[in-house]
Amino acid sequence: MPPHCDAMDGPVVKAATRALEAENVDLVLPFVKADGEEEVRKAFEKAIRARKISEAREVADLYFLDTVVRVHRAGEGAPYTGLRPAGLDVGPVIPAAEEAIEIGSADELTRTLSDFLADEVKHRFDEVMALQKHAEGPVPEARRYVEAMLGLQVWSHRIYLALKAEPHEGPAAHHEG
């Protein structure tokens, strides 16, 4: 799950805000599973009615945003702990993915991911190579080598599984055949 679906500047809140402004619930429904649609529609109708009372507009908007994000997260099987503030650090990949979609080119996203992967592989591999001289002992140092060596292999396998996973599916959820 992208780490910002529950943030005030995330894609779900942006779509919900557009829906409120346009008074068109269909603008946010793609972000919720079909079994959550009725709850979102009901919350939308309540929010639209409450927005007409100027003092209630902010409360109505927050009620609707909260409902949409909660239903969205439930559809992903993810926990919901409330709306998070805008401007959270989500790392380099989410902004690169958003920009790729916006400009219609995956080049920078591919470069960002490739550079990060190359740096991580090199760092982990170099650690294994530095410890390899202790592979035969003494035992405490050999254990550090084995931990690093197996760690590189397991980490690499998890990266592979993550690359093969369906959207919103973590590497742990990917079953080997």
Side-chain angles (χ1 to χ4, degrees):
M1 152 71 2
H4 74 316
C5 282
D6 55 356
M8 291 299 287
D9 58 351
V12 179
V13 170
K14 286 179 181 177
T17 301
R18 282 192 306 276
L20 286 171
E21 294 303 320
E23 293 190 13
N24 180 357
V25 72
D26 290 347
L27 297 176
V28 74
L29 290 179
F31 287 86
V32 298
K33 300 277 187 200
D35 63 356
E37 183 175 328
E38 186 60 29
E39 182 177 359
V40 170
R41 284 184 181 280
K42 287 178 181 176
F44 182 78
E45 291 304 320
K46 286 179 185 177
I48 290 299
R49 282 193 309 273
R51 289 178 108 228
K52 303 210 186 291
I53 305 166
S54 63
E55 298 83 26
R57 184 181 179 102
E58 183 180 351
V59 172
D61 288 3
L62 283 174
Y63 163 73
F64 181 65
L65 299 178
D66 187 78
T67 300
V68 171
V69 173
R70 181 179 47 75
V71 172
H72 169 80
R73 299 282 290 169
E76 295 175 333
Y80 177 63
T81 58
L83 293 171
R84 295 185 308 148
L88 297 175
D89 181 6
V90 294
V93 176
I94 295 294
E98 289 175 338
E99 182 178 346
I101 293 164
E102 188 177 309
I103 66 172
S105 171
D107 293 346
E108 187 58 35
L109 174 59
T110 301
R111 220 175 348 271
T112 299
L113 287 168
S114 297
D115 290 351
F116 182 74
L117 179 60
D119 289 347
E120 278 298 307
V121 168
K122 180 173 179 4
H123 168 75
R124 291 167 189 260
F125 181 78
D126 288 350
E127 181 181 6
V128 171
M129 292 295 96
L131 295 170
Q132 189 175 35
K133 63 185 171 211
H134 300 294
E136 301 297 320
V139 172
E141 285 83 3
R143 283 187 181 127
R144 285 186 26 221
Y145 165 72
V146 168
E147 186 176 324
M149 180 260 305
L150 292 177
L152 174 64
Q153 293 173 9
V154 169
W155 176 81
S156 298
H157 184 67
R158 285 182 180 157
I159 296 296
Y160 166 77
L161 292 177
L163 292 170
K164 294 296 193 178
E166 293 296 321
H168 304 291
E169 176 184 65
H174 188 81
H175 301 288
E176 295 180 65

